[in-house]
Amino acid sequence: MSSTPGSSTPGSSTPGSTPTPVAPTGGTPPLAKRVTVPSVAAAPSRGERLVVVTAYDYPQGRTADAAGVDVVLVGDSLAMVVLGHADTLSVTMDEMLHHVKAVRRGVERALLVADMPYGSFHLGAEATLANALRFVKEGGAQAVKIEGDRPQMIAALVQAEVPVMAHLGLTPQSLHRLGGFKVQGRGDAAAAELLAAAERAEDAGAFSLVLECVPSDLAAEVTARLTVPTIGIGAGPACDGQVLVYHDLLGLEERIAPRFVRRYAELGVTSREAIAAYADDVRHGVFPAAAESYGGLPAAPSSAQAGGDVQKLYG
C-alpha cells in the first residue's frame, strides 16, 4: 500500500471547499456522491468493480480522490515507501495517525480507510479498540483495516461501530512467521484454511476483504463464496476490486518491483530528470531569469493590505 488558492483550475479548491473531481484522461468522470461503507459492501451486487489506492499525505489523497477512486487506504506500507524502512513492522501508531490526518484533508468523496499497524491490535480487544477509535475520532477515518485471521477482533470493532476491512493471504505484518514475502494459499490444506478464514471474517462483520498474493483460482473461489467484496493485490482478475500502492503504480518506488504491479507512470525517473535540469540551470546561472525575479519590493504592507499583497507577490 496541488494548486494555487483561489484558482479555478479543475480539481482545485479554496480552504474548506469541496474539490471538483477531475476525470482521468480517456476515462469517465467520477461520481460526485460520497462513497460509504454500505456502498462498498454492496458493490458486487451492483456489478461494480472497486478501485482502491493507497495514499500517505494531503496531495496524494487529493490526487487519488480527484481521479475518482472508490477507497483511499492509508497503508502501513507508509513504513517502506515514505519512511524508508525495509518492511512494515517499524511504523508506529502515532506515525500512522499523523498521515491519516493529512490524507483526510485531501479526500472528499472516497472512503478513507486506516491501516492498523503492527502492535496496535496485538494486545487484546481493549487496546485494539482504543487505537481504532483514535483513527476514527482524531484521524477522520471511516474504517480500519486489520491483518490476519482475527474474527473475534473484527467482531469487537464492528460492535463498537468501527467498520473493518479484513486482510488475508500474504499479510506483511506476519513477515517473520511466514518466512518472507511469499505467495500464500498454495496446496489443498492452505487453500482450505484461507477459505475458512475468509468466511470467518465475513461472519464477524467485515465489510470487505483484501486478498494479497494468493493464487488466482483460490481468489476466484473466495470471491464466489463471499457476499462482501474481495479486493485483490497479486490475487488475479476475479476479485471484486483491486488495490495498488500509490508509489508503485506511479513508479516512485524503484527499490522493489513486485510481479503484481503495473506501472502507469515513471514519476521517479521524471522527478530525477526535472531536479537535475533545475540543478544544471542554477549552476549555469540561467535560473532564475528576469521573468522569475522582482524589480523592487514595495514598502511593508499594513495588516489590512497584507492578504492582497501576498497574492500579488506570488502572482
Side-chain angles (χ1 to χ4, degrees), residues 35-89:
V35 181
T36 65
V37 166
S39 69
V40 168
S45 67
R46 298 191 304 270
E48 296 178 5
R49 290 185 177 274
L50 295 164
V51 181
V52 185
V53 171
T54 67
Y56 311 96
D57 59 24
Y58 168 77
Q60 291 173 9
R62 186 173 180 182
T63 299
D65 196 51
V69 306
D70 301 302
V71 179
V72 172
L73 169 66
V74 185
D76 63 355
S77 44
L78 165 74
M80 300 175 70
V81 300
V82 175
L83 302 181
H85 295 295
D87 54 47
T88 65
L89 303 181

Side-chain angles (χ1 to χ4, degrees), residues 194-287:
L194 193 145
L195 280 164
E199 291 176 334
R200 287 192 288 269
E202 180 175 61
D203 291 343
F207 72 92
S208 58
L209 170 65
V210 171
L211 290 174
E212 182 169 356
C213 290
V214 303
S216 297
D217 56 349
L218 176 57
E221 187 172 355
V222 172
T223 301
R225 286 200 190 186
L226 299 188
T227 301
V228 298
T230 57
I231 299 167
I233 178 166
C239 294
D240 298 302
Q242 299 291 330
V243 56
L244 279 179
V245 170
Y246 189 97
H247 292 64
D248 286 340
L249 77 91
L250 293 179
L252 290 166
E253 172 56 70
E254 299 173 296
R255 295 173 300 171
I256 55 176
R259 176 177 177 174
F260 55 78
V261 170
R262 180 181 296 179
R263 300 247 194 249
Y264 287 84
E266 292 294 346
L267 298 191
V269 174
T270 302
S271 298
R272 281 197 304 278
E273 291 175 346
I275 294 172
Y278 159 68
D280 188 64
D281 284 353
V282 170
R283 289 173 180 137
H284 288 86
V286 296
F287 175 83

Side-chain angles (χ1 to χ4, degrees), residues 55-56 73-79 83 88 91-103 113-118 120 135 139 173:
Y56 311 96
L73 169 66
V74 185
D76 63 355
S77 44
L78 165 74
L83 302 181
T88 65
V91 71
T92 67
M93 182 68 198
D94 285 341
E95 288 170 334
M96 286 295 301
L97 185 59
H98 174 84
H99 286 267
V100 170
K101 290 177 179 179
V103 175
V113 180
D115 215 348
M116 298 285 288
Y118 182 68
S120 68
F135 277 135
Q173 293 176 16

